[in-house]
Amino acid sequence: MVKTLDARTSQGSKGQGVLTPSFTNGVPLLFAQVGLQVSNPGPIIRTLFSGVVTVTANQLFNNGSLAIEVYRGLGDSQQLVYRAERTVLGNPFFSPSVLSFTGSDYNVSPPANGQLVYSAYATFSYGPDTGVSNVRLGPESFNATVYSDD
């Protein structure tokens, strides 16, 4: 039987509005981090996560891209477990641009300290001649739930 060990949400914004800090062209921005408590897990641990990031593209002259990366662990021991990317059209008609994602991490080793940490980064890349600001909008959130077998 499957049991839920913990569930957490990191919420940057519930609604639309400019968020700070904004993106720097091509530089990953930590937008969410959760610490899941894993006590007395069964033999197989797995995590299901989802989230949403929204950017405005109404100042772009050319298309850009928005990438999401989710890592397990902290510092030098971080391990990439998920990556998604989408094109952001440089046209006010298609702005804002929303990237929602769902992923999983299977057969996770139990953490020695009992806390499983996931960090979510967003990278917004656009043409070097484009001077954009205030491109990070809400909603923005990251959800993670960790399960194990009995």
Side-chain angles (χ1 to χ4, degrees), residues 21-147:
S22 194
F23 289 105
T24 300
N25 190 6
V27 177
L29 174 71
L30 175 68
F31 75 91
Q33 191 171 61
V34 294
L36 299 158
Q37 302 305 309
V38 180
S39 59
N40 300 320
I44 297 176
I45 299 174
R46 57 196 166 279
T47 305
L48 177 65
F49 50 84
S50 64
V52 63
V53 173
T54 307
V55 298
T56 180
N58 57 7
Q59 297 176 8
L60 292 181
F61 298 113
N62 299 307
N63 293 347
S65 70
L66 178 62
I68 302 295
E69 293 182 335
V70 177
Y71 290 84
R72 179 181 358 105
L74 290 171
D76 293 337
S77 67
Q78 283 188 334
Q79 181 179 1
L80 179 66
V81 296
Y82 179 84
R83 187 174 197 290
E85 187 172 355
R86 72 164 297 167
T87 298
V88 177
L89 299 176
N91 183 326
F93 182 74
F94 296 107
S95 186
S97 184
V98 178
L99 175 54
S100 41
F101 59 95
T102 301
S104 60
D105 189 16
Y106 182 75
N107 207 13
V108 179
S109 299
N113 66 358
Q115 185 176 42
L116 190 56
V117 177
Y118 287 91
S119 303
Y121 295 85
T123 304
F124 189 41
S125 301
Y126 44 89
D129 296 334
T130 305
V132 269
S133 61
N134 299 331
V135 296
R136 187 174 166 212
L137 299 176
E140 186 175 278
S141 64
F142 179 69
N143 311 291
T145 306
V146 63
Y147 305 93

